Amino acid sequence: MTREAHKEPKLDVASSNDYISKMFTIKPLPEFDAWLESLKDRQTQFRLLRRLEKAQRGLLGDVAALGDSIFEMREFFGPGWRMYYFQHKDTIIVMLGGGDKSSQSSDIAKAKALAANLKEINP
């Protein structure tokens, strides 16, 4: 094999920007903080806080759109933890509340009501 045939591929420097994640500012509402603090299992609290740290760096993970600009961060451990938020402008995530699969319907309703109130105050 000649030296010419074994050249290293060139990296396209312009395409390296494809890997830059959008950074977010996480703003928890008091309702979200109260829910998180009410969890008795400290390991669960830690894992959910780690998820928020990742989201802050632009790594949102498993997220489902619920309508009315509300999203659900889904965690697949324990009883199926969920954290609800809406995105304000391009870079602000407002954490509304949380829960698990057993209370999902009522948690979503609460999150939508909180978001609607916030949108009226801060359009």
Side-chain angles (χ1 to χ4, degrees):
M1 180 180 271
T2 67
R3 196 168 177 90
E4 290 294 315
H6 189 66
K7 285 186 177 178
E8 292 292 319
K10 285 181 134 181
L11 291 178
D12 182 3
V13 177
S15 68
S16 66
N17 289 335
D18 295 345
Y19 299 103
I20 296 175
S21 295
K22 180 185 279 191
M23 301 292 281
F24 292 101
T25 299
I26 307 291
K27 299 218 178 243
L29 292 182
E31 292 84 351
F32 178 81
D33 285 338
W35 168 76
L36 191 61
E37 290 172 13
S38 75
L39 299 177
K40 293 176 179 40
D41 181 13
R42 296 294 174 221
Q43 184 66 23
T44 296
Q45 285 181 343
F46 177 77
R47 287 179 74 172
L48 295 174
L49 287 170
R50 292 287 293 153
R51 174 71 185 271
L52 293 179
E53 289 172 5
K54 290 178 183 179
Q56 193 170 17
R57 293 192 310 267
L59 306 170
L60 294 176
D62 190 314
V63 171
L66 302 174
D68 298 327
S69 301
I70 306 297
F71 297 89
E72 173 183 70
M73 287 184 187
R74 301 184 294 194
E75 288 292 327
F76 297 100
F77 70 92
W81 296 106
R82 306 296 195 247
M83 296 186 287
Y84 302 98
Y85 72 93
F86 79 92
Q87 188 172 333
H88 181 66
K89 300 187 181 178
D90 281 344
T91 58
I92 298 174
I93 291 178
V94 180
M95 299 306 300
L96 302 166
D100 59 38
K101 287 292 287 181
S102 69
S103 60
Q104 189 173 23
S105 295
S106 65
D107 295 334
I108 290 171
K110 288 178 199 171
K112 286 184 176 183
L114 279 171
N117 288 340
L118 287 173
K119 289 175 188 174
E120 286 178 13
I121 297 168
N122 299 313

